[in-house]
Amino acid sequence: MTTDSDPNHTPATDGVPDGFVRHTRSSPLTAPWEPLYAKTTADAVMLGLRLRECHTNSRGLAHGGLITALADNAMGYSCGLKLGGGARLLTASLAIDFIGPAGIGQWLQIEPEVVKVGGKLCVAQCFVTADGVRCARANGTFSVVRAKA
């Protein structure tokens, strides 16, 4: 559930690319960053947002913590998608490299790829782009926690 009730934030006004819809899985961490958008394919859950001042550091660039958290979420959601549901995922390791800036007004998009799905671990990687230009890459390993029968 999203918590942003600002009617000014719609896919049309935020310049959201085709296929993205409002993300419905809010958390206390991501709620202040709303509106977030998601695009689900057969292989991945991509996340995106239009960068605003509340997403930036003191230099006016997207904060590394924002990028890292969204990359973690997108990779975890994508692993869950590939597992077919019924499992919870916990981040076991996460690494990120920042390779370029992302500024206010740009469309930030996280594009994950699931590398390996296993019974105990799932591995994913992603590229993060700002208006289509790579600004970060990340990889994560997630522990698979199955629901008890």
Side-chain angles (χ1 to χ4, degrees), residues 25 40 42 45 76-89 114 117-119 122 143-148:
R25 201 161 164 198
T40 303
V45 179
Y77 293 149
S78 296
C79 285
L81 178 72
K82 294 304 274 186
L83 285 165
R88 293 178 25 194
L89 296 157
V114 176
V117 176
C122 188
S143 295
V144 178
V145 180
R146 300 268 179 203
K148 293 184 179 182

Side-chain angles (χ1 to χ4, degrees), residues 20-38:
F20 280 85
V21 296
R22 286 293 295 265
H23 185 50
T24 58
R25 201 161 164 198
S26 183
S27 74
L29 175 70
T30 61
W33 303 335
E34 293 290 346
L36 296 175
Y37 296 91

Side-chain angles (χ1 to χ4, degrees), residues 6-63:
D6 184 350
N8 296 322
H9 289 296
T10 66
T13 62
D14 282 348
V16 175
D18 287 342
F20 280 85
V21 296
R22 286 293 295 265
H23 185 50
T24 58
R25 201 161 164 198
S26 183
S27 74
L29 175 70
T30 61
W33 303 335
E34 293 290 346
L36 296 175
Y37 296 91
K39 179 178 180 179
T40 303
T41 67
D43 295 315
V45 179
M46 292 179 266
L47 296 178
L49 60 79
R50 181 69 56 194
L51 288 168
R52 300 187 323 271
E53 185 176 11
C54 64
H55 303 129
T56 64
N57 58 25
S58 62
R59 293 179 184 87
L61 300 173
H63 194 285

